[in-house]
Amino acid sequence: AQTVTQSQPEMSVQEAETVTLSCTYDTSENNYYLFWYKQPPSRQMILVIRQEAYKQQNATENRFSVNFQKAAKSFSLKISDSQLGDTAMYFCAFMKTNDYKLSFGAGTTVTVRA
Amino acid sequence: DAGVIQSPRHEVTEMGQEVTLRCKLISGHNSLFWYRQTMMRGLELLIYFNNNVPIDDSGMPEDRFSAKMPNASFSTLKIQPSEPRDSAVYFCASSLIGTDYGYTFGSGTRLTVV
């Protein structure tokens, strides 16, 4: 089984500032996918960003970007220009290629302060 | 597209009763995943189907849990008899395996067994 570790249970950030969430994972696989999901108080799970392990270029989606360090098995999420609507729990997730099952970390609660 | 639709949104039942959770996939998706979310255990995969066939049910906690996919667009998760420790949020998610490695989640069913 793959292990995904999010070491920060909670983080707080001032509106318009930047926050970085950490995620590490343990795998012996070479091909896999990594994801960040957002779960706001409405509890809907929303895909934020996805990274294919074979791609060296870090994925970016508007204000969200990742720092993917394959050798270190690290996959951090940076939220730039934080907005109040970014307040949510954020989950890092791992999927082996051709396995299709997502393994989730424990989550990091992000609170954006006005 | 209406997305993945789960019903009911909330369910409160007495211990020992049968509970059925429902999920309608996104049209054209070929895979369906049931997850359970609790404070203690986070997000756990219970079972997943590909083309209506159960592929991996190793996460189903015990025989009280059963899942079916009677057609390509609909699935049920049944708990009989229910117990207080089954209280959780149950999510289903669908995906088009082979084309896209992302899931689309439903909004979840919050189950409370008293």
Side-chain angles (χ1 to χ4, degrees):
Chain A
Q2 318 304 317
T3 303
V4 180
T5 302
Q6 294 179 249
S7 58
Q8 305 148 314
E10 296 181 1
M11 298 196 74
S12 180
V13 60
Q14 191 71 33
E15 195 174 10
E17 296 295 311
T18 295
V19 63
T20 300
L21 312 183
S22 67
C23 173
T24 58
Y25 55 94
D26 182 25
T27 186
S28 57
E29 301 290 324
N30 191 48
N31 296 318
Y32 49 87
Y33 294 81
L34 294 161
F35 304 82
W36 280 98
Y37 277 86
K38 169 184 177 181
Q39 187 178 39
S42 67
R43 85 168 178 242
Q44 179 78 45
M45 294 285 287
I46 302 164
L47 177 63
V48 174
I49 200 165
R50 162 177 39 207
Q51 174 83 39
E52 292 89 343
Y54 64 86
K55 290 186 178 178
Q56 293 190 347
Q57 186 173 5
N58 289 323
T60 300
E61 288 288 341
N62 300 314
R63 297 182 295 106
F64 297 87
S65 61
V66 298
N67 183 5
F68 173 47
Q69 301 290 326
K70 191 172 183 179
K73 297 179 184 176
S74 171
F75 184 60
S76 62
L77 174 70
K78 184 170 78 172
I79 307 173
S80 303
D81 185 25
S82 298
Q83 300 176 0
L84 296 178
D86 295 334
T87 293
M89 181 167 275
Y90 288 80
F91 292 94
C92 180
F94 173 98
M95 178 192 288
K96 282 194 297 186
T97 303
N98 297 324
D99 184 48
Y100 313 120
K101 298 183 291 187
L102 275 175
S103 297
F104 287 91
T108 298
T109 299
V110 173
T111 302
V112 181
R113 307 185 309 273
Chain B
D1 198 323
V4 176
I5 300 172
Q6 289 189 247
S7 63
R9 184 159 173 81
H10 304 278
E11 177 80 30
V12 180
T13 191
E14 292 186 347
M15 183 174 62
Q17 295 298 305
E18 177 180 296
V19 176
T20 299
L21 310 182
R22 296 173 174 80
C23 176
K24 184 176 185 300
L25 285 69
I26 289 175
S27 177
H29 279 192
N30 59 10
S31 298
L32 180 283
F33 304 81
W34 282 102
Y35 278 81
R36 178 171 68 176
Q37 184 178 31
T38 60
M39 290 291 290
M40 291 298 294
R41 300 175 67 91
L43 281 151
E44 306 172 276
L45 177 65
L46 300 178
I47 185 171
Y48 92 89
F49 296 82
N50 183 236
N51 292 322
N52 305 1
V53 176
I55 303 300
D56 186 340
D57 65 355
S58 59
M60 295 288 262
E62 46 196 277
D63 291 347
R64 299 185 296 106
F65 285 70
S66 62
K68 293 183 179 179
M69 199 165 172
N71 58 57
S73 61
F74 184 73
S75 178
T76 59
L77 178 67
K78 184 179 294 185
I79 308 172
Q80 165 64 20
S82 57
E83 297 182 3
R85 60 194 168 115
D86 301 331
S87 297
V89 178
Y90 290 81
F91 286 100
C92 72
S94 73
S95 181
L96 182 57
I97 283 178
T99 301
D100 182 6
Y101 282 88
Y103 290 7
T104 301
F105 281 83
S107 56
T109 294
R110 179 176 295 281
L111 173 65
T112 304
V113 184
V114 298

